[in-house]
């Protein structure tokens, strides 16, 4: 099952510990005409200069959560409200409204993500960065994956906590699906620069 690379970004899994998981998201701003696609499942960061969201692009970017869609007044459709699974690069809202996105930003929510190579049980507890790949503009789905070659005990984006418990998903497979926590979460850490 996990012998094929089919990355899907980060998918919310559960709330770590015994607290209630309410499946809530928070609303954040997107810069009008932002030049870059942001897809459902992309790890995103907060730009502390202007308070807007952008996709994580390097291991130095501190994650705030996972992008789960956006809303803006569509200039190509008479400024009607549009809810979309991804932010289309360069979309320029012309009616003065503010484009927003929905982010799963709870620091204690775990996510499923496909690794770009095999990992082992010894990697549980290790941290990894994300492999950034362009998402799918038809489905709006991310293609981020866990960068297995970046394993470290230090401050990468994600901390592996387990394997996804589904039939046929084995850590030693070529592309296993693992459960992770955002290790250097913006609301829970100050060890990586925003």
């Amino acid at each position: 099952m996990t012998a094929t690379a089919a990355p899907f970004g980060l998918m919310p899994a559960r709330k770590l510990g015994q607290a209630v998981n309410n499946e809530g998201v928070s609303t954040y701003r997107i810069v009008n005409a932002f030049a870059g696609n942001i897809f459902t499942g992309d790890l995103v960061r907060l730009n502390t200069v202007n308070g807007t969201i952008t996709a994580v692009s390097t291991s130095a970017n501190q994650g705030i959560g996972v992008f789960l869609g956006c809303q803006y007044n569509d200039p190509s459709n008479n400024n009607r409200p549009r809810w979309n699974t991804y932010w289309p690069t360069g979309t320029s809202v012309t009616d003065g409204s503010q484009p927003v996105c929905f982010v799963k930003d709870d620091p204690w929510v775990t996510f499923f993500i496909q690794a770009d190579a095999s990992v082992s049980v010894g990697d549980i507890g290790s941290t990894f960065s994300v492999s950034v790949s362009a998402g799918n503009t038809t489905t709006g789905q991310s293609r981020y994956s866990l960068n297995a070659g970046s394993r470290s005990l230090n401050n990468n984006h994600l901390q592996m906590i387990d394997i996804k418990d589904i039939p046929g998903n084995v850590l030693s497979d070529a592309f296993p699906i693992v459960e992770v926590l955002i290790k250097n979460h913006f609301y829970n850490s100050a060890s990586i620069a925003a």
Side-chain angles (χ1 to χ4, degrees):
M1 177 172 189
T2 57
T4 303
F8 51 83
L10 290 124
M11 180 187 341
R14 64 185 175 101
K15 178 109 168 181
L16 195 63
Q18 306 305 313
V20 174
N21 183 7
N22 68 6
E23 300 296 327
V25 295
S26 295
T27 304
Y28 291 90
R29 294 174 184 83
I30 300 175
V31 170
N32 188 31
F34 175 70
N37 292 320
I38 309 174
F39 295 93
T40 291
D42 281 359
L43 182 62
V44 292
R45 68 184 183 95
L46 181 66
N47 182 333
T48 56
V49 174
N50 61 15
T52 61
I53 291 294
T54 59
V56 163
S57 58
T58 71
S59 60
N61 293 151
Q62 185 179 35
I64 196 167
V66 174
F67 183 91
L68 294 178
C70 60
Q71 188 275 319
Y72 55 92
N73 292 346
D74 190 349
S76 68
N77 192 14
N78 296 319
N79 293 319
R80 291 188 177 140
R82 178 172 183 166
W83 285 262
N84 209 10
T85 55
Y86 81 102
W87 170 259
T89 184
T91 299
S92 181
V93 176
T94 57
D95 67 351
S97 62
Q98 175 67 58
V100 296
C101 63
F102 310 104
V103 176
K104 190 70 163 177
D105 63 355
D106 185 332
W108 298 110
V109 167
T110 68
F111 299 90
F112 294 127
I113 186 169
Q114 186 174 44
D116 64 4
S118 64
V119 291
S120 71
V121 71
D123 288 323
I124 293 175
S126 294
T127 66
F128 298 84
S129 60
V130 292
S131 288
V132 177
S133 297
N136 184 321
T137 57
T138 301
T139 65
Q141 193 63 43
S142 173
R143 292 215 176 123
Y144 279 24
S145 59
L146 181 107
N147 182 345
S150 68
R151 65 181 50 84
S152 168
L153 294 176
N154 297 318
N155 294 319
N156 285 318
H157 296 119
L158 308 173
Q159 184 168 31
M160 188 173 126
I161 59 175
D162 209 343
I163 185 169
K164 184 174 183 181
D165 187 17
I166 55 174
N169 188 39
V170 180
L171 284 173
S172 60
D173 282 350
F175 307 103
I177 298 171
V178 297
E179 187 178 9
V180 297
L181 188 67
I182 299 174
K183 172 67 173 163
N184 291 302
H185 197 286
F186 181 82
Y187 292 132
N188 206 25
S189 172
S191 57
I192 290 184

